PDB file of all heavy atoms in Angstrom:
ATOM      1  N   ALA A   1      32.406   3.241  -1.389  1.00 98.00           N
ATOM      2  CA  ALA A   1      31.550   3.426  -0.227  1.00 98.00           C
ATOM      3  C   ALA A   1      30.104   3.771  -0.575  1.00 98.00           C
ATOM      4  O   ALA A   1      29.173   3.372   0.123  1.00 98.00           O
ATOM      5  CB  ALA A   1      32.140   4.519   0.669  1.00 98.00           C
ATOM      6  N   GLN A   2      29.891   4.531  -1.651  1.00 98.00           N
ATOM      7  CA  GLN A   2      28.542   4.970  -2.035  1.00 98.00           C
ATOM      8  C   GLN A   2      27.983   4.190  -3.219  1.00 98.00           C
ATOM      9  O   GLN A   2      26.967   4.587  -3.801  1.00 98.00           O
ATOM     10  CB  GLN A   2      28.561   6.465  -2.380  1.00 98.00           C
ATOM     11  CG  GLN A   2      28.962   7.376  -1.246  1.00 98.00           C
ATOM     12  CD  GLN A   2      27.894   7.461  -0.165  1.00 98.00           C
ATOM     13  OE1 GLN A   2      26.753   7.067  -0.367  1.00 98.00           O
ATOM     14  NE2 GLN A   2      28.268   7.977   0.996  1.00 98.00           N
ATOM     15  N   ALA A   3      28.608   3.062  -3.566  1.00 98.00           N
ATOM     16  CA  ALA A   3      28.190   2.323  -4.763  1.00 98.00           C
ATOM     17  C   ALA A   3      26.761   1.824  -4.658  1.00 98.00           C
ATOM     18  O   ALA A   3      25.982   1.934  -5.609  1.00 98.00           O
ATOM     19  CB  ALA A   3      29.145   1.162  -5.007  1.00 98.00           C
ATOM     20  N   ALA A   4      26.392   1.268  -3.512  1.00 98.00           N
ATOM     21  CA  ALA A   4      25.039   0.732  -3.356  1.00 98.00           C
ATOM     22  C   ALA A   4      24.003   1.842  -3.450  1.00 98.00           C
ATOM     23  O   ALA A   4      22.954   1.685  -4.098  1.00 98.00           O
ATOM     24  CB  ALA A   4      24.914  -0.008  -2.031  1.00 98.00           C
ATOM     25  N   TYR A   5      24.275   2.974  -2.827  1.00 98.00           N
ATOM     26  CA  TYR A   5      23.343   4.095  -2.875  1.00 98.00           C
ATOM     27  C   TYR A   5      23.183   4.616  -4.301  1.00 98.00           C
ATOM     28  O   TYR A   5      22.060   4.854  -4.770  1.00 98.00           O
ATOM     29  CB  TYR A   5      23.832   5.212  -1.962  1.00 98.00           C
ATOM     30  CG  TYR A   5      23.096   6.518  -2.144  1.00 98.00           C
ATOM     31  CD1 TYR A   5      21.765   6.655  -1.756  1.00 98.00           C
ATOM     32  CD2 TYR A   5      23.733   7.618  -2.722  1.00 98.00           C
ATOM     33  CE1 TYR A   5      21.081   7.854  -1.940  1.00 98.00           C
ATOM     34  CE2 TYR A   5      23.055   8.829  -2.901  1.00 98.00           C
ATOM     35  CZ  TYR A   5      21.734   8.933  -2.511  1.00 98.00           C
ATOM     36  OH  TYR A   5      21.071  10.113  -2.696  1.00 98.00           O
ATOM     37  N   LEU A   6      24.287   4.786  -5.003  1.00 98.00           N
ATOM     38  CA  LEU A   6      24.240   5.355  -6.343  1.00 98.00           C
ATOM     39  C   LEU A   6      23.493   4.463  -7.331  1.00 98.00           C
ATOM     40  O   LEU A   6      22.799   4.961  -8.227  1.00 98.00           O
ATOM     41  CB  LEU A   6      25.656   5.624  -6.852  1.00 98.00           C
ATOM     42  CG  LEU A   6      26.389   6.813  -6.223  1.00 98.00           C
ATOM     43  CD1 LEU A   6      27.879   6.748  -6.539  1.00 98.00           C
ATOM     44  CD2 LEU A   6      25.797   8.134  -6.719  1.00 98.00           C
ATOM     45  N   THR A   7      23.632   3.167  -7.206  1.00 98.00           N
ATOM     46  CA  THR A   7      23.099   2.256  -8.215  1.00 98.00           C
ATOM     47  C   THR A   7      21.734   1.664  -7.863  1.00 98.00           C
ATOM     48  O   THR A   7      21.111   1.024  -8.708  1.00 98.00           O
ATOM     49  CB  THR A   7      24.077   1.097  -8.469  1.00 98.00           C
ATOM     50  OG1 THR A   7      24.322   0.407  -7.237  1.00 98.00           O
ATOM     51  CG2 THR A   7      25.388   1.603  -9.041  1.00 98.00           C
ATOM     52  N   SER A   8      21.252   1.871  -6.654  1.00 98.00           N
ATOM     53  CA  SER A   8      19.989   1.253  -6.244  1.00 98.00           C
ATOM     54  C   SER A   8      18.790   2.028  -6.791  1.00 98.00           C
ATOM     55  O   SER A   8      18.854   3.241  -7.011  1.00 98.00           O
ATOM     56  CB  SER A   8      19.904   1.187  -4.721  1.00 98.00           C
ATOM     57  OG  SER A   8      19.878   2.485  -4.159  1.00 98.00           O
ATOM     58  N   ASP A   9      17.695   1.300  -7.010  1.00 97.00           N
ATOM     59  CA  ASP A   9      16.391   1.899  -7.348  1.00 97.00           C
ATOM     60  C   ASP A   9      16.461   2.846  -8.546  1.00 97.00           C
ATOM     61  O   ASP A   9      15.845   3.917  -8.543  1.00 97.00           O
ATOM     62  CB  ASP A   9      15.826   2.642  -6.133  1.00 97.00           C
ATOM     63  CG  ASP A   9      15.682   1.743  -4.916  1.00 97.00           C
ATOM     64  OD1 ASP A   9      15.264   0.588  -5.083  1.00 97.00           O
ATOM     65  OD2 ASP A   9      16.006   2.199  -3.807  1.00 97.00           O
ATOM     66  N   HIS A  10      17.187   2.437  -9.577  1.00 98.00           N
ATOM     67  CA  HIS A  10      17.302   3.254 -10.789  1.00 98.00           C
ATOM     68  C   HIS A  10      16.020   3.124 -11.606  1.00 98.00           C
ATOM     69  O   HIS A  10      15.706   2.040 -12.107  1.00 98.00           O
ATOM     70  CB  HIS A  10      18.513   2.786 -11.602  1.00 98.00           C
ATOM     71  CG  HIS A  10      18.904   3.722 -12.699  1.00 98.00           C
ATOM     72  ND1 HIS A  10      20.101   3.590 -13.384  1.00 98.00           N
ATOM     73  CD2 HIS A  10      18.294   4.795 -13.251  1.00 98.00           C
ATOM     74  CE1 HIS A  10      20.192   4.535 -14.286  1.00 98.00           C
ATOM     75  NE2 HIS A  10      19.095   5.276 -14.229  1.00 98.00           N
ATOM     76  N   PRO A  11      15.238   4.197 -11.777  1.00 98.00           N
ATOM     77  CA  PRO A  11      13.969   4.089 -12.512  1.00 98.00           C
ATOM     78  C   PRO A  11      14.174   3.632 -13.953  1.00 98.00           C
ATOM     79  O   PRO A  11      15.159   4.003 -14.602  1.00 98.00           O
ATOM     80  CB  PRO A  11      13.417   5.521 -12.475  1.00 98.00           C
ATOM     81  CG  PRO A  11      14.111   6.183 -11.329  1.00 98.00           C
ATOM     82  CD  PRO A  11      15.479   5.564 -11.275  1.00 98.00           C
ATOM     83  N   LEU A  12      13.235   2.833 -14.458  1.00 97.00           N
ATOM     84  CA  LEU A  12      13.287   2.434 -15.856  1.00 97.00           C
ATOM     85  C   LEU A  12      12.900   3.594 -16.768  1.00 97.00           C
ATOM     86  O   LEU A  12      13.498   3.790 -17.821  1.00 97.00           O
ATOM     87  CB  LEU A  12      12.356   1.242 -16.099  1.00 97.00           C
ATOM     88  CG  LEU A  12      12.874  -0.145 -15.712  1.00 97.00           C
ATOM     89  CD1 LEU A  12      11.815  -1.206 -15.987  1.00 97.00           C
ATOM     90  CD2 LEU A  12      14.166  -0.475 -16.444  1.00 97.00           C
ATOM     91  N   ASN A  13      11.883   4.366 -16.372  1.00 97.00           N
ATOM     92  CA  ASN A  13      11.473   5.524 -17.163  1.00 97.00           C
ATOM     93  C   ASN A  13      12.281   6.747 -16.744  1.00 97.00           C
ATOM     94  O   ASN A  13      12.505   6.975 -15.563  1.00 97.00           O
ATOM     95  CB  ASN A  13       9.983   5.799 -16.977  1.00 97.00           C
ATOM     96  CG  ASN A  13       9.121   4.705 -17.572  1.00 97.00           C
ATOM     97  OD1 ASN A  13       9.448   4.146 -18.624  1.00 97.00           O
ATOM     98  ND2 ASN A  13       8.021   4.392 -16.922  1.00 97.00           N
ATOM     99  N   TYR A  14      12.709   7.498 -17.745  1.00 97.00           N
ATOM    100  CA  TYR A  14      13.496   8.715 -17.514  1.00 97.00           C
ATOM    101  C   TYR A  14      14.705   8.406 -16.609  1.00 97.00           C
ATOM    102  O   TYR A  14      14.873   8.975 -15.539  1.00 97.00           O
ATOM    103  CB  TYR A  14      12.610   9.824 -16.959  1.00 97.00           C
ATOM    104  CG  TYR A  14      11.521  10.194 -17.934  1.00 97.00           C
ATOM    105  CD1 TYR A  14      10.248   9.634 -17.839  1.00 97.00           C
ATOM    106  CD2 TYR A  14      11.792  11.040 -19.004  1.00 97.00           C
ATOM    107  CE1 TYR A  14       9.258   9.931 -18.779  1.00 97.00           C
ATOM    108  CE2 TYR A  14      10.812  11.347 -19.946  1.00 97.00           C
ATOM    109  CZ  TYR A  14       9.555  10.791 -19.831  1.00 97.00           C
ATOM    110  OH  TYR A  14       8.595  11.078 -20.774  1.00 97.00           O
ATOM    111  N   GLY A  15      15.528   7.493 -17.124  1.00 97.00           N
ATOM    112  CA  GLY A  15      16.643   6.956 -16.355  1.00 97.00           C
ATOM    113  C   GLY A  15      17.800   7.906 -16.129  1.00 97.00           C
ATOM    114  O   GLY A  15      18.753   7.545 -15.428  1.00 97.00           O
ATOM    115  N   TYR A  16      17.746   9.107 -16.728  1.00 97.00           N
ATOM    116  CA  TYR A  16      18.779  10.113 -16.465  1.00 97.00           C
ATOM    117  C   TYR A  16      18.241  11.235 -15.575  1.00 97.00           C
ATOM    118  O   TYR A  16      18.912  12.241 -15.381  1.00 97.00           O
ATOM    119  CB  TYR A  16      19.287  10.711 -17.779  1.00 97.00           C
ATOM    120  CG  TYR A  16      19.932   9.694 -18.694  1.00 97.00           C
ATOM    121  CD1 TYR A  16      19.189   9.076 -19.699  1.00 97.00           C
ATOM    122  CD2 TYR A  16      21.272   9.349 -18.551  1.00 97.00           C
ATOM    123  CE1 TYR A  16      19.772   8.133 -20.541  1.00 97.00           C
ATOM    124  CE2 TYR A  16      21.854   8.412 -19.386  1.00 97.00           C
ATOM    125  CZ  TYR A  16      21.100   7.812 -20.378  1.00 97.00           C
ATOM    126  OH  TYR A  16      21.678   6.882 -21.204  1.00 97.00           O
ATOM    127  N   GLY A  17      17.032  11.036 -15.048  1.00 97.00           N
ATOM    128  CA  GLY A  17      16.376  12.108 -14.309  1.00 97.00           C
ATOM    129  C   GLY A  17      16.248  11.848 -12.831  1.00 97.00           C
ATOM    130  O   GLY A  17      17.192  11.394 -12.165  1.00 97.00           O
ATOM    131  N   ALA A  18      15.046  12.113 -12.294  1.00 97.00           N
ATOM    132  CA  ALA A  18      14.805  11.994 -10.857  1.00 97.00           C
ATOM    133  C   ALA A  18      15.038  10.562 -10.393  1.00 97.00           C
ATOM    134  O   ALA A  18      14.578   9.608 -11.018  1.00 97.00           O
ATOM    135  CB  ALA A  18      13.372  12.420 -10.538  1.00 97.00           C
ATOM    136  N   GLY A  19      15.761  10.424  -9.285  1.00 98.00           N
ATOM    137  CA  GLY A  19      16.054   9.113  -8.733  1.00 98.00           C
ATOM    138  C   GLY A  19      17.194   8.375  -9.393  1.00 98.00           C
ATOM    139  O   GLY A  19      17.559   7.271  -8.968  1.00 98.00           O
ATOM    140  N   SER A  20      17.783   8.963 -10.432  1.00 98.00           N
ATOM    141  CA  SER A  20      18.865   8.298 -11.163  1.00 98.00           C
ATOM    142  C   SER A  20      20.193   8.423 -10.416  1.00 98.00           C
ATOM    143  O   SER A  20      20.349   9.274  -9.526  1.00 98.00           O
ATOM    144  CB  SER A  20      19.022   8.923 -12.551  1.00 98.00           C
ATOM    145  OG  SER A  20      19.584  10.234 -12.438  1.00 98.00           O
ATOM    146  N   PRO A  21      21.169   7.615 -10.770  1.00 98.00           N
ATOM    147  CA  PRO A  21      22.506   7.776 -10.193  1.00 98.00           C
ATOM    148  C   PRO A  21      23.095   9.167 -10.440  1.00 98.00           C
ATOM    149  O   PRO A  21      23.900   9.639  -9.637  1.00 98.00           O
ATOM    150  CB  PRO A  21      23.329   6.692 -10.911  1.00 98.00           C
ATOM    151  CG  PRO A  21      22.323   5.636 -11.243  1.00 98.00           C
ATOM    152  CD  PRO A  21      21.082   6.388 -11.596  1.00 98.00           C
ATOM    153  N   LEU A  22      22.692   9.825 -11.528  1.00 98.00           N
ATOM    154  CA  LEU A  22      23.185  11.171 -11.814  1.00 98.00           C
ATOM    155  C   LEU A  22      22.663  12.167 -10.782  1.00 98.00           C
ATOM    156  O   LEU A  22      23.418  13.003 -10.282  1.00 98.00           O
ATOM    157  CB  LEU A  22      22.780  11.596 -13.223  1.00 98.00           C
ATOM    158  CG  LEU A  22      23.292  10.711 -14.363  1.00 98.00           C
ATOM    159  CD1 LEU A  22      22.737  11.197 -15.694  1.00 98.00           C
ATOM    160  CD2 LEU A  22      24.813  10.673 -14.388  1.00 98.00           C
ATOM    161  N   GLU A  23      21.374  12.084 -10.477  1.00 98.00           N
ATOM    162  CA  GLU A  23      20.821  12.962  -9.453  1.00 98.00           C
ATOM    163  C   GLU A  23      21.495  12.703  -8.105  1.00 98.00           C
ATOM    164  O   GLU A  23      21.798  13.633  -7.350  1.00 98.00           O
ATOM    165  CB  GLU A  23      19.314  12.755  -9.333  1.00 98.00           C
ATOM    166  CG  GLU A  23      18.670  13.689  -8.313  1.00 98.00           C
ATOM    167  CD  GLU A  23      17.180  13.463  -8.163  1.00 98.00           C
ATOM    168  OE1 GLU A  23      16.794  12.355  -7.722  1.00 98.00           O
ATOM    169  OE2 GLU A  23      16.405  14.392  -8.478  1.00 98.00           O
ATOM    170  N   LYS A  24      21.746  11.430  -7.816  1.00 98.00           N
ATOM    171  CA  LYS A  24      22.381  11.077  -6.549  1.00 98.00           C
ATOM    172  C   LYS A  24      23.824  11.580  -6.485  1.00 98.00           C
ATOM    173  O   LYS A  24      24.293  11.998  -5.421  1.00 98.00           O
ATOM    174  CB  LYS A  24      22.330   9.565  -6.349  1.00 98.00           C
ATOM    175  CG  LYS A  24      20.918   9.030  -6.149  1.00 98.00           C
ATOM    176  CD  LYS A  24      20.921   7.510  -6.059  1.00 98.00           C
ATOM    177  CE  LYS A  24      19.513   6.960  -5.881  1.00 98.00           C
ATOM    178  NZ  LYS A  24      19.503   5.480  -5.816  1.00 98.00           N
ATOM    179  N   LEU A  25      24.522  11.543  -7.611  1.00 98.00           N
ATOM    180  CA  LEU A  25      25.887  12.070  -7.652  1.00 98.00           C
ATOM    181  C   LEU A  25      25.891  13.546  -7.286  1.00 98.00           C
ATOM    182  O   LEU A  25      26.743  14.011  -6.514  1.00 98.00           O
ATOM    183  CB  LEU A  25      26.486  11.874  -9.047  1.00 98.00           C
ATOM    184  CG  LEU A  25      27.922  12.373  -9.240  1.00 98.00           C
ATOM    185  CD1 LEU A  25      28.909  11.441  -8.546  1.00 98.00           C
ATOM    186  CD2 LEU A  25      28.265  12.491 -10.724  1.00 98.00           C
ATOM    187  N   VAL A  26      24.936  14.294  -7.819  1.00 98.00           N
ATOM    188  CA  VAL A  26      24.816  15.713  -7.499  1.00 98.00           C
ATOM    189  C   VAL A  26      24.515  15.900  -6.016  1.00 98.00           C
ATOM    190  O   VAL A  26      25.108  16.749  -5.340  1.00 98.00           O
ATOM    191  CB  VAL A  26      23.723  16.363  -8.376  1.00 98.00           C
ATOM    192  CG1 VAL A  26      23.378  17.759  -7.870  1.00 98.00           C
ATOM    193  CG2 VAL A  26      24.181  16.430  -9.833  1.00 98.00           C
ATOM    194  N   SER A  27      23.605  15.077  -5.478  1.00 98.00           N
ATOM    195  CA  SER A  27      23.220  15.223  -4.077  1.00 98.00           C
ATOM    196  C   SER A  27      24.374  14.915  -3.135  1.00 98.00           C
ATOM    197  O   SER A  27      24.425  15.439  -2.012  1.00 98.00           O
ATOM    198  CB  SER A  27      22.038  14.300  -3.755  1.00 98.00           C
ATOM    199  OG  SER A  27      22.431  12.940  -3.697  1.00 98.00           O
ATOM    200  N   LEU A  28      25.312  14.082  -3.578  1.00 98.00           N
ATOM    201  CA  LEU A  28      26.474  13.726  -2.752  1.00 98.00           C
ATOM    202  C   LEU A  28      27.597  14.765  -2.833  1.00 98.00           C
ATOM    203  O   LEU A  28      28.607  14.622  -2.144  1.00 98.00           O
ATOM    204  CB  LEU A  28      27.032  12.367  -3.194  1.00 98.00           C
ATOM    205  CG  LEU A  28      26.212  11.125  -2.845  1.00 98.00           C
ATOM    206  CD1 LEU A  28      26.816   9.895  -3.501  1.00 98.00           C
ATOM    207  CD2 LEU A  28      26.133  10.930  -1.334  1.00 98.00           C
ATOM    208  N   GLY A  29      27.427  15.785  -3.677  1.00 98.00           N
ATOM    209  CA  GLY A  29      28.523  16.723  -3.894  1.00 98.00           C
ATOM    210  C   GLY A  29      29.654  16.094  -4.677  1.00 98.00           C
ATOM    211  O   GLY A  29      30.832  16.386  -4.446  1.00 98.00           O
ATOM    212  N   GLY A  30      29.294  15.212  -5.618  1.00 98.00           N
ATOM    213  CA  GLY A  30      30.287  14.455  -6.369  1.00 98.00           C
ATOM    214  C   GLY A  30      30.992  15.261  -7.442  1.00 98.00           C
ATOM    215  O   GLY A  30      30.718  16.450  -7.654  1.00 98.00           O
ATOM    216  N   LYS A  31      31.897  14.583  -8.129  1.00 98.00           N
ATOM    217  CA  LYS A  31      32.725  15.199  -9.167  1.00 98.00           C
ATOM    218  C   LYS A  31      32.564  14.442 -10.479  1.00 98.00           C
ATOM    219  O   LYS A  31      32.150  13.287 -10.511  1.00 98.00           O
ATOM    220  CB  LYS A  31      34.200  15.183  -8.761  1.00 98.00           C
ATOM    221  CG  LYS A  31      34.506  15.793  -7.400  1.00 98.00           C
ATOM    222  CD  LYS A  31      34.303  17.291  -7.382  1.00 98.00           C
ATOM    223  CE  LYS A  31      34.673  17.886  -6.029  1.00 98.00           C
ATOM    224  NZ  LYS A  31      34.457  19.359  -5.982  1.00 98.00           N
ATOM    225  N   VAL A  32      32.915  15.125 -11.563  1.00 98.00           N
ATOM    226  CA  VAL A  32      33.012  14.497 -12.883  1.00 98.00           C
ATOM    227  C   VAL A  32      34.461  14.595 -13.323  1.00 98.00           C
ATOM    228  O   VAL A  32      35.043  15.684 -13.342  1.00 98.00           O
ATOM    229  CB  VAL A  32      32.098  15.202 -13.907  1.00 98.00           C
ATOM    230  CG1 VAL A  32      32.326  14.625 -15.310  1.00 98.00           C
ATOM    231  CG2 VAL A  32      30.632  15.055 -13.510  1.00 98.00           C
ATOM    232  N   LEU A  33      35.057  13.456 -13.661  1.00 98.00           N
ATOM    233  CA  LEU A  33      36.456  13.405 -14.085  1.00 98.00           C
ATOM    234  C   LEU A  33      36.522  12.997 -15.546  1.00 98.00           C
ATOM    235  O   LEU A  33      36.083  11.907 -15.915  1.00 98.00           O
ATOM    236  CB  LEU A  33      37.235  12.401 -13.232  1.00 98.00           C
ATOM    237  CG  LEU A  33      38.717  12.231 -13.569  1.00 98.00           C
ATOM    238  CD1 LEU A  33      39.522  13.469 -13.186  1.00 98.00           C
ATOM    239  CD2 LEU A  33      39.295  10.992 -12.876  1.00 98.00           C
ATOM    240  N   LEU A  34      37.038  13.886 -16.386  1.00 98.00           N
ATOM    241  CA  LEU A  34      37.246  13.586 -17.802  1.00 98.00           C
ATOM    242  C   LEU A  34      38.711  13.223 -17.988  1.00 98.00           C
ATOM    243  O   LEU A  34      39.572  14.089 -18.116  1.00 98.00           O
ATOM    244  CB  LEU A  34      36.871  14.781 -18.666  1.00 98.00           C
ATOM    245  CG  LEU A  34      35.396  15.175 -18.651  1.00 98.00           C
ATOM    246  CD1 LEU A  34      35.198  16.527 -19.311  1.00 98.00           C
ATOM    247  CD2 LEU A  34      34.554  14.130 -19.347  1.00 98.00           C
ATOM    248  N   LEU A  35      38.984  11.939 -17.995  1.00 98.00           N
ATOM    249  CA  LEU A  35      40.351  11.427 -18.072  1.00 98.00           C
ATOM    250  C   LEU A  35      40.707  11.179 -19.532  1.00 98.00           C
ATOM    251  O   LEU A  35      40.679  10.048 -20.021  1.00 98.00           O
ATOM    252  CB  LEU A  35      40.455  10.139 -17.241  1.00 98.00           C
ATOM    253  CG  LEU A  35      41.828   9.507 -17.053  1.00 98.00           C
ATOM    254  CD1 LEU A  35      42.804  10.476 -16.399  1.00 98.00           C
ATOM    255  CD2 LEU A  35      41.713   8.236 -16.235  1.00 98.00           C
ATOM    256  N   GLY A  36      41.003  12.267 -20.243  1.00 97.00           N
ATOM    257  CA  GLY A  36      41.304  12.157 -21.665  1.00 97.00           C
ATOM    258  C   GLY A  36      40.080  12.025 -22.545  1.00 97.00           C
ATOM    259  O   GLY A  36      40.200  11.929 -23.761  1.00 97.00           O
ATOM    260  N   ALA A  37      38.885  12.004 -21.948  1.00 97.00           N
ATOM    261  CA  ALA A  37      37.647  11.862 -22.720  1.00 97.00           C
ATOM    262  C   ALA A  37      37.215  13.214 -23.268  1.00 97.00           C
ATOM    263  O   ALA A  37      37.454  14.251 -22.644  1.00 97.00           O
ATOM    264  CB  ALA A  37      36.546  11.274 -21.843  1.00 97.00           C
ATOM    265  N   PRO A  38      36.558  13.239 -24.425  1.00 96.00           N
ATOM    266  CA  PRO A  38      36.087  14.511 -25.001  1.00 96.00           C
ATOM    267  C   PRO A  38      35.036  15.171 -24.125  1.00 96.00           C
ATOM    268  O   PRO A  38      34.334  14.506 -23.359  1.00 96.00           O
ATOM    269  CB  PRO A  38      35.495  14.086 -26.353  1.00 96.00           C
ATOM    270  CG  PRO A  38      36.047  12.735 -26.632  1.00 96.00           C
ATOM    271  CD  PRO A  38      36.281  12.095 -25.310  1.00 96.00           C
ATOM    272  N   LEU A  39      34.899  16.470 -24.276  1.00 97.00           N
ATOM    273  CA  LEU A  39      33.935  17.223 -23.470  1.00 97.00           C
ATOM    274  C   LEU A  39      32.491  16.843 -23.796  1.00 97.00           C
ATOM    275  O   LEU A  39      31.593  17.073 -22.977  1.00 97.00           O
ATOM    276  CB  LEU A  39      34.133  18.725 -23.692  1.00 97.00           C
ATOM    277  CG  LEU A  39      35.442  19.330 -23.167  1.00 97.00           C
ATOM    278  CD1 LEU A  39      35.543  20.791 -23.573  1.00 97.00           C
ATOM    279  CD2 LEU A  39      35.546  19.189 -21.650  1.00 97.00           C
ATOM    280  N   ASP A  40      32.248  16.269 -24.956  1.00 95.00           N
ATOM    281  CA  ASP A  40      30.865  15.929 -25.316  1.00 95.00           C
ATOM    282  C   ASP A  40      30.404  14.601 -24.712  1.00 95.00           C
ATOM    283  O   ASP A  40      29.318  14.123 -25.006  1.00 95.00           O
ATOM    284  CB  ASP A  40      30.679  15.905 -26.833  1.00 95.00           C
ATOM    285  CG  ASP A  40      31.516  14.836 -27.526  1.00 95.00           C
ATOM    286  OD1 ASP A  40      32.219  14.076 -26.835  1.00 95.00           O
ATOM    287  OD2 ASP A  40      31.471  14.774 -28.772  1.00 95.00           O
ATOM    288  N   THR A  41      31.235  13.994 -23.851  1.00 96.00           N
ATOM    289  CA  THR A  41      30.882  12.697 -23.250  1.00 96.00           C
ATOM    290  C   THR A  41      30.323  12.830 -21.839  1.00 96.00           C
ATOM    291  O   THR A  41      30.125  11.814 -21.167  1.00 96.00           O
ATOM    292  CB  THR A  41      32.107  11.767 -23.220  1.00 96.00           C
ATOM    293  OG1 THR A  41      33.135  12.355 -22.409  1.00 96.00           O
ATOM    294  CG2 THR A  41      32.643  11.499 -24.612  1.00 96.00           C
ATOM    295  N   ILE A  42      30.051  14.036 -21.368  1.00 98.00           N
ATOM    296  CA  ILE A  42      29.634  14.233 -19.978  1.00 98.00           C
ATOM    297  C   ILE A  42      28.177  13.794 -19.819  1.00 98.00           C
ATOM    298  O   ILE A  42      27.235  14.546 -20.098  1.00 98.00           O
ATOM    299  CB  ILE A  42      29.804  15.701 -19.549  1.00 98.00           C
ATOM    300  CG1 ILE A  42      31.256  16.151 -19.744  1.00 98.00           C
ATOM    301  CG2 ILE A  42      29.394  15.868 -18.087  1.00 98.00           C
ATOM    302  CD1 ILE A  42      31.499  17.617 -19.438  1.00 98.00           C
TER     303      ILE A  42
END
């Protein structure tokens, strides 16, 4: 349902920062699921 919002308008510069899908995930009250993945992969 939120795929278009999360992936749209991803800045080329500082792609993990403001306006990124990561910031949007936080704004949505999202979750991080580590399905057998190491803790250093977050």
Side-chain angles (χ1 to χ4, degrees):
Q2 298 289 345
Y5 168 69
L6 287 165
T7 58
S8 64
D9 303 319
H10 192 168
L12 280 179
N13 293 323
Y14 298 95
Y16 298 95
S20 71
L22 300 176
E23 182 181 64
K24 293 176 181 179
L25 180 74
V26 168
S27 73
L28 288 173
K31 306 291 182 181
V32 174
L33 180 70
L34 295 169
L35 186 58
L39 293 175
D40 63 2
T41 62
I42 303 176

